[in-house]
Amino acid sequence: MALRSRYLTSGVETAPQRSLLYACGFTKEELDRPLIGVVSAHSDIVPGHINLDKITEAVKAGVRLAGGTPIMVPSIGVCDGIAMGHVGMKYSLASRELIADSVETMANAHCFDGLVLVPNCDKIVPGMVMAAVRLNIPAVVVSGGPMMAGLVGGCETSLSKMFEAVGARKANIIDDKQLLDFEENCCPTCGSCSGMYTANSMNCLCEAIGIALPGNGTIPAVMSGRIALAKHAGMAIMDLVKRDVKARDIINPKSIRNALACDMALGCSSNSVLHLLAIANEAGCPIDLNMINEISAKTPNLCHLAPAGPTHMQDLNEAGGVQAVLSELAKKNLIDTTAITATGKTVGENIKDVKVKNYDIIKPIEKPYSETGGIAILWGNIAKNGCVVKRSAVAPEMLKHTGPARVFDCEDDAIKSIYAGEIKPGDVVIIRYEGPKGGPGMREMLNPTSALAGMKLDKCVALITDGRFSGASRGASIGHVSPEAAEGGEIALVKEGDIVEIDIPANKVNIKVSDEELNERRKSLKEKEPNIKSGWLARYARLVTSADKGAILK
């Protein structure tokens, strides 16, 4: 076991470094042990992160129990819900790169022998995992766990219903008192918001890809089992360090395919596509959108958690969690059970005795919600490099849809039009110049999708954007259009009233405009001024690649 920390803790030449470590209060005995970085995204502003101080302390206890020295270092984290609908959302996806860079910086600058990553919410999870595979040192993820569902009007509810309630209020479907009921009761505990939104999607996929212990995605934040899991994560990293099992030993082509299969079965957020593309790129085994459709075509959708259905993460946990989903997939050889995981065992060994406890929550593989997966990639003359839809959250009547384009050059204008009642049944709302470069930062469009759902228009109006949609979005919400408008993508050429044809089963999205007409329109296309001209977002806009590449930096 060759320890990186020996660059600091042994030899005459490194006495100055040790003097500074002694200044931190470390003892010689602690410095003789492996040094484990515990990267915590704890803060007071993110509901999913306010409990991470407890998780971090539990991880540190586990590391000490197994003979290591834990060293906590911080990470930033944006709350997507709080950042939604204003300039703050431009920072969300972009922060993923800052997080990856900062974890890399702290781990290499201080010669950590291994990492326990303690995130919970949307971009923090993939940012930390990207850093782990970039560094390629032993690493384990343990999240803060999902929030419990709220209770409004006697029904389980979550953040997606809160955003939809705003649309319902704007349409006078509910009154102020009912809106306040949602506001005060939909998010009742700490934890990542309780549906299969992006945070919970990525925490579940960390289990499926093998870098997190079983239970990471589903044990609720308020359960004592979450603290026990964190202690076991601290013990697990010491085993990985001793056996020299690195992040890329766990995250590789076979485990990425496992994660994609699990993604399809769970009906994860469409953002999971961006993040798995980015993680795979960092792991040195890039994937493309064709592979995603290939896996989706043969992987049944087994779960309909909010926003696709009425169930939440606590229900999935009680039904057996991610490991039970993997167990179902293994029945039809849809996952590679030989992949190694952070438990020190293979996927097959982890799920050997696992069974689904409630087939109403996790459908049997023989009787799925659908024979195809929860995510679909579409192509067409306005998305030549592809776009993404969460198929499992689309109403059956919207899987095929034709209607006139209602074109907006930013999210804010679209929201104003929706709230003003200007969007009619049958319309296709086009929101452009919100991509990775154009936004910049590829804002989530939860406000417009939720407004339409709250106004009861989600089953008759589609949305298409080069931005992205929250995992809490439902309906025919098609995002990640590539190339984006800011790079001259064909979505920039769409005009008000153009007829848009959407055929999700056939993986197609097109406007009924000839190539000749599009070429003529391109001649008069003017370059749009950047939305942000200063600060680090301006630098991000210059460096970021398109969504079909995972919106990674060049």
Side-chain angles (χ1 to χ4, degrees), residues 19-72:
S19 71
L20 293 167
L21 290 167
Y22 289 139
C24 294
F26 292 109
T27 64
K28 182 181 183 304
E29 290 80 4
E30 287 175 302
L31 298 186
D32 285 341
R33 297 175 174 183
L35 303 185
I36 305 300
V38 182
V39 187
S40 174
H42 172 248
S43 74
D44 291 338
I45 192 63
V46 185
H49 291 187
I50 60 171
N51 66 322
L52 294 189
D53 53 341
K54 310 293 189 300
I55 303 298
T56 301
E57 286 304 314
V59 169
K60 291 166 72 176
V63 170
R64 291 191 186 102
L65 279 168
T69 297
I71 301 174
M72 192 282 289

Side-chain angles (χ1 to χ4, degrees), residues 98 208 228 278 347:
L98 287 184
V347 171

Side-chain angles (χ1 to χ4, degrees), residues 243-296:
R243 295 192 295 113
D244 197 29
V245 177
K246 299 182 175 70
R248 291 193 188 187
D249 296 324
I250 291 173
I251 298 181
N252 50 47
K254 68 167 74 171
S255 67
I256 289 168
R257 291 183 73 92
N258 282 351
L260 285 168
C262 186
D263 190 328
M264 300 308 162
L266 287 171
C268 289
S269 163
S270 58
N271 283 316
S272 64
V273 173
L274 277 177
H275 301 322
L276 288 174
L277 286 168
I279 289 166
N281 180 73
E282 293 285 2
C285 46
I287 57 178
D288 63 24
L289 298 182
N290 289 296
M291 179 192 293
I292 293 170
N293 264 1
E294 170 216 322
I295 292 173
S296 181

